[in-house]
Amino acid sequence: MGRWQPDSRGRLQESALALFAERGFDQITAAEIAERVGVTERTFFRHFADKREVLFGGSDYLKELILEGVVAAPASDGPLDAVVRGLQVAAVLLGEGRRDLARQRQAVIRANPELHERELSKLADYASSVAGALRQRGATDVQADFAAEIGMTVFRLAMAQWVESNEDTDLPSVMQRSLADLRALTVDT
Amino acid sequence: MGRWQPDSRGRLQESALALFAERGFDQITAAEIAERVGVTERTFFRHFADKREVLFGGSDYLKELILEGVVAAPASDGPLDAVVRGLQVAAVLLGEGRRDLARQRQAVIRANPELHERELSKLADYASSVAGALRQRGATDVQADFAAEIGMTVFRLAMAQWVESNEDTDLPSVMQRSLADLRALTVDT
DNA sequence: TAAGGTGATGTCTGTTGCTGACATCGTAGT
DNA sequence: ACTACGATGTCAGCAACAGACATCACCTTA
């Protein structure tokens, strides 16, 4: 056995979510989370740039997934459709995770403006990367920006709907429906 | 003459923008801004809930404007069109302000992730309020959410374009064009 | 005109978020 | 066995806030 227990990072994430859910984000100090896991505050901040980041651990990986999906989209797809391919890839992964954990996470984030801010920021970052990928596929700047942003909106609203729906609804199809709703809106008189 | 110089709030805002532009957001302390204006750090934080807020002083007023525009939209307008009416109202106001100040502000915000986060958060808040107003007009939940979010996207991208364009481009028409671009995208195959 | 209320500010003090610099010590590679 | 390395601990310190209370020009009202 090593000098320390393994996977402090992962344990910090779990511990943080539990504590936040129980007592609220700003009632919990980084030191408290760290202590419960058996490390020091300093170690917490080595793993996470700031206290909020502990709730967004997998977001880099998710971003990669989305980008791969966009790149892999058939050339015949328009920009918006390509984005949706990427999001579908992400949706499949997220749809597999435990629904109650996702719900708990969403609840914590919605309850705190700072966390909500951070989430929006992550999405904006996805959008920016996705827009880059779309330009590589030949989209114009304006097309790329809009398609990416709209994609993130669809993603976000679909996630919100899914998390609150009952067990036998799957995320990919919720997203599909959201996209249809959106299209109906813009065509509206 | 009063015991203190008038309008500390406004003077703090000006001073902050200048300092941020000159040396960068995180190189400037709240105490420094306050000192330059002749008040204490404590007073700074009485006017602004946190350091970033000093750059978003007028946002409540802007939100009111947008909402009024939405409410005043003719009943025949679809949800998305109603949102755009509100945004046009805001655009007229913003288009009147000094272009160079807006540019400077944008530059400061774009240079700092925390500030960018805050800006997104403000927009999300607008979206949420606008969605509420749309529901009052009879839109469904889904329609309202999407229309509001898309509106903010149009707003944001149009602002970005406008700020970087040359003198004789006016914000309202840039927005109009952005909306057209968006509609073209969603109809795309 | 005297008395008291009000609002914006100053002062003081404390907590929390976060960081730099340096020490420690199992473990893997040579 | 030696060494380089990587994850962590330790310590010290700044900056972002927040609560509690004091101050004092100005306004109101009797």
Side-chain angles (χ1 to χ4, degrees):
Chain A
M1 194 174 90
R3 186 176 171 193
W4 299 280
Q5 296 192 337
D7 193 25
S8 355
R9 184 185 171 89
R11 277 155 51 227
L12 283 168
Q13 294 183 36
E14 290 172 26
S15 178
L17 177 57
L19 286 170
F20 292 163
E22 184 188 343
R23 273 187 276 161
F25 180 74
D26 37 8
Q27 295 310 307
I28 301 295
T29 73
E32 203 169 349
I33 301 167
E35 190 189 7
R36 221 172 90 141
V37 163
V39 298
T40 59
E41 186 195 31
R42 192 67 185 85
T43 291
F44 179 98
F45 284 111
R46 260 193 282 259
H47 281 293
F48 306 102
D50 60 62
K51 194 176 138 193
R52 309 176 219 172
E53 274 296 303
V54 71
L55 279 179
F56 299 90
S59 76
D60 279 357
Y61 177 55
L62 195 63
K63 176 170 154 183
E64 295 306 321
L65 277 186
I66 296 174
L67 282 176
E68 284 172 24
V70 172
V71 171
S76 59
D77 272 12
L80 188 51
D81 292 306
V83 175
V84 172
R85 303 256 188 194
L87 297 179
Q88 289 286 355
V89 174
V92 170
L93 174 79
L94 291 175
E96 282 168 356
R98 287 178 48 197
R99 177 83 134 274
D100 54 336
L101 278 187
R103 209 183 325 247
Q104 193 176 33
R105 212 186 84 107
Q106 285 274 94
V108 169
I109 291 175
R110 250 188 298 118
N112 192 285
E114 299 178 55
L115 291 172
H116 194 226
E117 259 188 31
R118 176 57 53 85
E119 187 176 53
L120 293 173
S121 172
K122 291 289 180 188
L123 270 293
D125 180 54
Y126 294 175
S128 169
S129 295
V130 166
L134 290 177
R135 275 187 271 269
Q136 299 258 338
R137 285 173 44 97
T140 67
D141 283 5
V142 172
Q143 284 180 327
D145 285 341
F146 267 120
E149 293 286 351
I150 289 175
M152 294 311 139
T153 299
V154 170
F155 183 69
R156 194 152 44 84
L157 295 185
M159 276 291 288
Q161 279 187 242
W162 176 71
V163 163
E164 283 167 13
S165 63
N166 49 13
E167 286 310 316
D168 46 277
T169 324
D170 71 321
L171 182 51
S173 52
V174 173
M175 272 194 41
Q176 206 58 50
R177 191 155 54 80
S178 284
L179 182 63
D181 290 338
L182 167 77
R183 286 203 142 108
L185 235 189
T186 52
V187 176
D188 215 359
T189 50
Chain B
M1 193 177 89
R3 187 176 170 195
W4 299 281
Q5 295 191 338
D7 192 25
S8 358
R9 183 186 171 87
R11 277 156 50 231
L12 283 169
Q13 293 182 32
E14 289 171 26
S15 178
L17 178 57
L19 286 171
F20 292 162
E22 185 188 342
R23 273 187 277 160
F25 180 74
D26 36 9
Q27 295 309 307
I28 303 294
T29 73
E32 201 169 351
I33 302 167
E35 190 189 7
R36 224 172 87 142
V37 164
V39 298
T40 59
E41 185 195 33
R42 191 69 186 84
T43 291
F44 179 97
F45 285 111
R46 260 193 282 258
H47 281 292
F48 307 102
D50 60 63
K51 195 176 136 192
R52 308 177 219 172
E53 275 296 303
V54 73
L55 279 179
F56 299 89
S59 76
D60 279 357
Y61 177 56
L62 196 63
K63 175 171 155 182
E64 295 307 320
L65 278 185
I66 296 175
L67 282 176
E68 283 172 25
V70 172
V71 170
S76 59
D77 272 11
L80 188 52
D81 291 305
V83 175
V84 172
R85 302 258 187 193
L87 297 179
Q88 289 286 354
V89 174
V92 170
L93 174 79
L94 291 175
E96 281 169 357
R98 287 178 49 197
R99 176 82 134 275
D100 54 338
L101 278 189
R103 211 185 320 252
Q104 194 176 34
R105 213 186 83 108
Q106 286 273 92
V108 169
I109 290 175
R110 250 188 297 119
N112 192 286
E114 301 178 54
L115 292 172
H116 194 228
E117 259 187 30
R118 177 56 53 85
E119 188 176 51
L120 293 173
S121 173
K122 291 289 181 191
L123 270 293
D125 180 53
Y126 293 175
S128 170
S129 295
V130 166
L134 290 177
R135 275 187 271 270
Q136 300 258 338
R137 284 173 45 97
T140 68
D141 283 4
V142 172
Q143 283 180 329
D145 285 340
F146 267 119
E149 293 287 350
I150 289 176
M152 293 312 139
T153 299
V154 170
F155 183 70
R156 194 151 44 83
L157 295 184
M159 276 290 288
Q161 279 185 243
W162 175 70
V163 163
E164 285 167 13
S165 63
N166 50 11
E167 285 311 314
D168 46 275
T169 323
D170 72 320
L171 182 51
S173 53
V174 174
M175 270 194 41
Q176 206 59 52
R177 192 155 53 80
S178 283
L179 182 63
D181 290 336
L182 167 78
R183 287 204 140 106
L185 235 191
T186 52
V187 176
D188 214 359
T189 51

